[in-house]
Amino acid sequence: MEAGLPAEFPRLTASGQNRPGLGIVHLGLGAFFRAHGAVYIAEAMAASGGDWGIVGVSLQNPTMRDALVPQGCAYTVLTLGPDGDVPQVMNAVQDVLVARENPEQVLGLLADPRIRIVTLTVTEKGYCHEPSTGALNRTHPDIVHDIANPLPVSALGYLVRGMQRRRDAGLPPFTVMTCDNLPENGSVVRGVVLDLARAIDPALADWIKTKGRFPSTMVDRIVPATKPGDIDRQARMTGQLDLAPVMAEPFRQWVVEDNFVNDARPDLGAVGVQLVPDVTAFEHMKLRMLNGTHSSLAYLGYLAGHETISDAMADPVFQAYVRRLWANEIIPALTPPAGEDLNAYAEALFKRYSNPAIRHRTWQIAMDGSQKLPQRILGTLTDNLKAGRASPGLILAVAAWMRYVGGVDEGGNPIEVKDPLAARLRAVSDGQSDAGGKVAALLSLSEIFPSDLARALKPELTEAYLALVRSGARRTIEGGAA
Ligand code: CS2
């Protein structure tokens, strides 16, 4: 047992009740899926039966397996609401594998006829695509590796080689259901899977194209990374030690395109999942209204010294800023999905962000900005430019990202920038001495910024960047420009 853990509590164990048969492999088992998709799937099995037990796969890191397997893969979801914390022990996960340790075992499982769905949360960068175009990055080292080797390293490699084994065994493909925050995420994963399959075996690409199903999904629940103190808190609350609890807000939503191989899926409709023919409008609403403002609050909030989103939301300057973003810049560029009122959605987000029990660090959300900005912020900026609508708040957010990736905060302290392009971003920014040069150099990264948008944004972005350097994030927002 690690030092400092509450050793007086017995370890959580899986309940003795009948466990479901296997049906799903999940690639990238982290906190989010365990508090979102896995909860819905467990509830769907409880409501309507079906064998949809989940095997989680970590691609690289054994930490999740090492925490979960000794406790029978059970874990606690602690819902942190205004009325207190509510623990719920989940038993839907049946096993956890580490792909890097045993790729053959993972491929064998993907070719198992019991597996009918592969779900994914591998974050934006896990799709090895160019965020601005959606095309597979054929020079990505993992993709170069997976084209040349039958034992893959990337999530996409596992999907393609898993499909290959199923085709060779005369089985139908599994449905690929991505749960990552990308627009038209089903089309994105379908596109990169087909690109990779074509490079490996063109006939396989045709087979996947005809028989494969890649439903798009909109996923939503705020689930900050579990912190060491959370383990202690969970143990004191339930009397059992869980080395992998997850902390989540009460709200959750899942909108799924009803498009599965042989219609085989858990009875998600029975537990509040919205099954629809087209998810696009829901994805745009969520990615722009939630994730777009999350990222804006993350960069500006971090620079202003706010550790979490709820800290930023306790600051009236940030409250007014986020309300202006929704009202003046984001909502006017959206088409509401059927049954949604965007003003009410914004009001609900305001309350969700303000929940002080959720300690969601601005630093965590600031991660991987190069992969997030296009769908969260740049799409709205493009639409606003076309409509002749001003976007001072979102432009300030992009300027704050530029400041942030420069790697030095407003007090002159280093920032630990986590991003697949971190080294390049830093070099590009350091290579220029003045604000105009830095902004222009960062805008020239075509995998993030389409060239038309870059050209149009440059003057205002340079102004905003200069204001951040001169006055700091909080005073710049307060000064009213944004
Ligand atoms: C956040 C999301 O970390 C981030 O970038 O914006 O994880 C966000 O909390 C979820 O998408 C909420 O559904």
Side-chain angles (χ1 to χ4, degrees), residues 123-138 140 143 156 180-185 187-189 191-193 195 370-372 374-375 420-421 447-448:
T123 78
E124 295 83 351
K125 61 181 176 292
Y127 294 86
C128 304
H129 69 311
E130 300 231 323
S132 63
T133 62
L136 181 70
N137 176 0
R138 293 279 296 264
H140 190 296
I143 297 302
L156 302 181
D180 280 298
N181 283 314
L182 292 163
E184 283 134 71
N185 55 5
S187 308
V188 169
V189 68
V192 287
V193 161
D195 281 354
S370 68
Q371 315 294 300
K372 292 175 173 174
Q375 59 275 11
L421 301 186
E447 58 269 69
I448 307 174

Side-chain angles (χ1 to χ4, degrees), residues 183-437:
E184 283 134 71
N185 55 5
S187 308
V188 169
V189 68
R190 179 174 186 272
V192 287
V193 161
L194 289 177
D195 281 354
L196 181 58
R198 220 168 278 123
I200 290 174
D201 171 353
L204 175 65
D206 293 340
W207 183 81
I208 298 173
K209 199 169 174 181
T210 321
K211 298 194 187 280
R213 294 288 180 273
F214 298 82
S216 284
T217 65
M218 182 273 250
V219 293
D220 190 9
R221 188 169 197 183
I222 294 177
V223 186
T226 302
K227 301 168 197 62
D230 295 335
I231 293 177
D232 199 80
R233 173 179 185 169
Q234 181 281 337
R236 292 187 196 288
M237 171 161 217
T238 65
Q240 284 186 309
L241 176 65
D242 175 352
L243 289 190
V246 279
M247 311 289 124
E249 64 168 342
F251 180 89
R252 58 187 158 109
Q253 186 177 15
W254 201 3
V255 188
V256 173
E257 179 189 342
D258 201 3
N259 178 24
F260 289 75
V261 175
N262 297 328
D263 294 324
R265 58 162 170 78
D267 189 5
L268 298 171
V271 293
V273 175
Q274 294 158 265
L275 291 153
V276 299
D278 186 354
V279 180
T280 318
F282 289 95
E283 286 181 321
H284 278 142
M285 171 182 79
K286 194 261 170 172
L287 284 166
R288 292 178 175 199
M289 289 188 65
L290 192 160
N291 299 108
T293 55
H294 238 187
S295 290
S296 304
L297 291 170
Y299 297 116
L300 287 158
Y302 185 96
L303 293 174
H306 290 310
E307 193 191 339
T308 66
I309 292 293
S310 50
D311 292 345
M313 292 300 286
D315 179 341
V317 168
F318 278 83
Q319 289 177 5
Y321 167 72
V322 73
R323 283 199 194 285
R324 284 197 299 273
L325 285 184
W326 284 317
N328 303 340
E329 304 184 27
I330 301 176
I331 291 178
L334 282 173
T335 309
E340 293 280 352
D341 170 342
L342 297 182
N343 293 314
Y345 188 79
E347 234 5 84
L349 286 178
F350 191 91
K351 292 207 180 76
R352 291 170 63 192
Y353 288 1
S354 305
N355 179 352
I358 298 288
R359 307 283 304 152
H360 203 181
R361 295 174 67 194
T362 47
W363 176 83
Q364 188 193 343
I365 298 164
M367 230 179 258
D368 293 344
S370 68
Q371 315 294 300
K372 292 175 173 174
L373 287 188
Q375 59 275 11
R376 293 181 176 209
I377 295 180
L378 304 185
T380 306
L381 284 174
T382 304
D383 289 350
N384 285 351
L385 268 173
K386 275 197 204 118
R389 205 166 21 241
S391 315
L394 290 174
I395 289 178
L396 185 65
V398 177
W401 169 77
M402 290 180 162
R403 271 287 268 166
Y404 183 90
V405 299
V408 183
D409 75 10
E410 290 181 0
N413 306 303
I415 304 175
E416 190 191 352
V417 178
K418 292 257 192 202
D419 192 295
L421 301 186
R424 244 177 96 204
L425 295 168
R426 182 68 191 263
V428 162
S429 170
D430 284 356
Q432 303 291 328
S433 54
D434 66 345

